[in-house]
Amino acid sequence: MPTDIPGAREGGARSGQAAARPTLLEIRHLRVEYHTIRGRMVALPDLSLSLAEGESFGLVGESGCGKSTLAMAIMRHLGPSGIIAGGEILFAGQDIARASEAALERIRGRRISIVYQEPASALNPAMTIGRQLIEVPMLHQGMQRKKAWRRAAEVLAEVHIPDPEAFLECYPHQLSGGQKQRVVIAMALLADPALLLLDEPTTGLDVTVEAAVLDLIDEIRHRRGTALLYISHNLGVIARVADRVGVMYAGELVEDAPVTSLFAEPRHPYTRGLMQAIPRLGSNKHDSALVSIPGSVPAAGAAPRGCVFAPRCPLVLPGRCDTEPIPPVDAGPMHRVKCLRWQESAHPAPPRQSRPAVLAADGEIAIEAGKLSRFYHLRSGVVRANDGLDLVARRGEVLAVVGESGSGKSTFARILAGLEPASEGTLLYAGTDIASKPVHRRSARQVAEIQMVFQNPEGTLNPSFSAGWPIARALKKLGRGSSREIDSRIRSLLGLVRLPESVRHSLPRQLSGGQKQRVAIARAFAGRPEILIADEPTSALDVSVQAAVVNLLLEIQAERGTTMVFISHDLGLVRYIADHVVVMYLGRVMEVGPTAALYAPPFHPYTEALLSAVPSPDPTAASRRIRLEGELPSRIHPPKGCRFATRCPRKLGAMCETEPPPVRDAGGGHLIFCHIPLPGLSAAEPVRSGVPRARPTPAGAGQS
Amino acid sequence: MRPTPLRAPSDLAAGATIGVEEIATARPSLLKRLPSSGVAMTGLGIILFWAILALIAPLLPLPSPTAQDYLAIAHPGPGLHHLLGVDPLGRDTLSRLVWGARVVLVVAPLSVLVAYIVGATMGLLAGFYPGFVDAVISRTSDVILAFPVVVLYVVLIAAVGASALNIVVAVVLASAPAVSRIVRGLAMQLVRQDFVAAAHLRRETALFIMAIEILPNCRGPLITDFCLRLGYTVITIGTLGFLGLGIPPPSPDWGGMVQEATPMLTVFPEMALFPVIALVSLVLGFNLLADGLNELSRAD
């Protein structure tokens, strides 16, 4: 494969400008070890990278690859057991690895600041925001109290907090997650640092909030010229924020390149694996498969000899890849990769596949919800978690329910599964109303036929019992198969989810997250369900594992003709997996329709905003920027008319706030609940204009 | 290093990609890791020392714990005939200590065990049924826990009379609410876990969920608490004995031995000293074992 690909050259030019700037941070052969009672673990064996002033470097990789350790090493905050065992961390010419405590004090919080993933734990719950913010300038710059207070208000205004003066008097618990993260970013900016370390700052935030925080980070960077080291597991986020990207695996930087050339021409098999594991724009389950990476990330200190990725690599050369460390080679301008076979690995062809075509819109109805509602009576009022849901799922299809936190999608899942009763409305399954029938009032058959896979792999299996136990119990209690058959049924169920039979006797803590989810899937299929509810089954998993679980679910679902209700907040995944999509907001349905129709105009304004907020794993794709103002309204006093009225960018007027929106039928089962008439909704442009990848684009197009 | 055969990326289609991950090996159970904790082993050693002595008491060449040696009363200090001396009634101190260990090591574990059965049941019910059941159980526990423990014991034993059985009843009454609180707190967290929802989805009964799904997952904190509570109960039995509310005489009882020796404290302090050492060492043993177990369970 020749290397002079336009995309790569263009990317080189882009970072060529960056290279002209003086180097701010240079890490040379950094080695970090953890010395614990169990022995010595090498977290980062030998890592080198450099960052120019004002440059944004994205660090991507799955959990446990040493990304956070690197950030902590730069801050010299490795804790009592973490030791920098070799190498240099040169920051503006000074070696942080060897600096004295006094010298570190002058760097930390002044020249380098850090923003962590969990904003809630970065703020002291017993102090007002103001008192926490003024500490920084008072301590580091010896600023007077009054002046520091003014400065704090200025910085809050800079991170777009409305009415900063009043905000300073608030306590952290009064703020939303997005506001907290803004405060933490403001705190990091107070000292005007030259380098900002961001460790998964938007993980755990809703997608619309994430988009706004990413906008803010972009804006700060361009206004202040701050260099960024941005850590994330999300390729989409990295594509949006970074100039240059480093891919980390098992403590090593396996590939680093300018963002455009990395995404256009990934060279390392691991990078390619990460990209193939997430659904590509516009692809769906009917035309392509997701590719997972077999195996799992080695534990810290247990990295194999030679290439760290060799045990999971499809291109591994036994005898060559697993003997000596692989030196980095230049695969293009500024593009380094640690792989012997990088030339063979260009242009990953997405594996084609064909699954049964989309189901007809008039297929047999499996479940039908009518005005389904669930109210929680709290002391402070009534929360309408589900408020008059109307929806249908047809036999054998995948119906995705999408929404941000607080939308009521999980409540719907729990009502359907029978874990909670509905307060009002109907839920028809096979001719009977099961809305207000929790499991103990359902027939054995109904319970067996509606099963669920849960979100959190950590809580899904009882830690006291081996993995085979819940499957055996399910077979026994759901009465599918005689007790003599149970043994062979367990084996076939484990085979169905592609787990070795020995897993039966393993305790949950011996299994990885993906393995636990597969046991949970086996358990759910023990009763031969007609309906499978999957409540964010992959949101806690790494992308390569997510791909395997999604493939598995789809395969079993298609093979058995199961109807799957897939609850998710991941719009990219939903587009890939679903036949029909329901978009929910504050307990109500905003839009329903066939997947292809939903992802194209006409849009509900909320769907439009959601789609625009999703960061695309393609730095060259331009997308329209629609951002939601304000915060999610109180769930106890939601807007009277359209639930979305308070944040809608296309609000028509008072009518939206007072009157419930009418249904706009866009045809083919595509319904939009909005006051804007259909022609108005149809006039919207597609959210993304997918620019073909290899075509050169103006420099920086992906960033603007 | 496992050499993996060469595969083209396009072969990695849906089904074929779900590779078999290695399964981690099991971590040895808490019991098997016990020897790695010096603290726990020291505690266990002390407890075993008393347990073995109590077990082989009838085989030891000791005088009966109730036999009075009138000749020894004149010189009650340690000597050849009575290694640890005799009490004011001329009974052999060593023999009474060894036989006293029998009493304490039966009554204390028995009462704690019963307290655990009662307390765990209360706690599971309270944690599983929030609302009325929880309110009744929790408020009842609060009332009992509001009493000073010693006053509770004295009033109770004074009312029903001193006997081994009544000591058990008293300890159960005083300890069960505390156990109930621990179990309730753990159960309330565990009830929200998805594996409990999964159990509902296969129509398990409430009893099954409480006893099989929830209770075993409380064992970590409960094992530590069990050891600590054994120590407290040994103190309680000693206190009751000292107040004359323990095992009725002439049965050997460590608390009672201290009390009988108090009038002679200024003349023959060792009479009280030996039973006190016995009591302290056994309590220390239980506390050290609890500390060690706690440390081990946190070391994950």
Side-chain angles (χ1 to χ4, degrees), chain B residues 140-166:
Chain B
T140 314
S141 304
D142 289 347
V143 170
I144 297 172
L145 288 172
F147 276 101
V149 187
V150 178
V151 175
L152 193 71
Y153 286 138
V154 172
V155 171
L156 212 78
I157 302 285
V160 295
S163 76
L165 179 70
N166 289 343

Side-chain angles (χ1 to χ4, degrees), chain A residues 535-583:
Chain A
D535 186 3
E536 308 232 21
T538 61
S539 65
L541 303 176
D542 276 323
V543 285
S544 66
V545 183
Q546 165 180 301
V549 172
V550 165
N551 284 338
L552 183 70
L553 273 173
L554 282 176
E555 201 173 298
I556 305 174
Q557 180 263 336
E559 193 182 298
R560 305 206 161 188
T562 317
T563 307
M564 180 152 78
V565 177
F566 191 86
I567 313 285
S568 182
H569 66 274
D570 184 339
L571 285 142
L573 186 59
V574 161
R575 181 175 197 173
Y576 175 79
I577 200 171
D579 297 305
H580 279 87
V581 183
V582 176
V583 181

Side-chain angles (χ1 to χ4, degrees), chain A residues 354-375:
Chain A
S354 56
R355 288 182 194 273
V358 195
L359 287 126
D362 54 355
E364 199 184 324
I365 289 176
I367 41 174
E368 181 169 11
K371 297 269 164 279
L372 191 70
S373 302
R374 171 70 180 160
F375 310 138

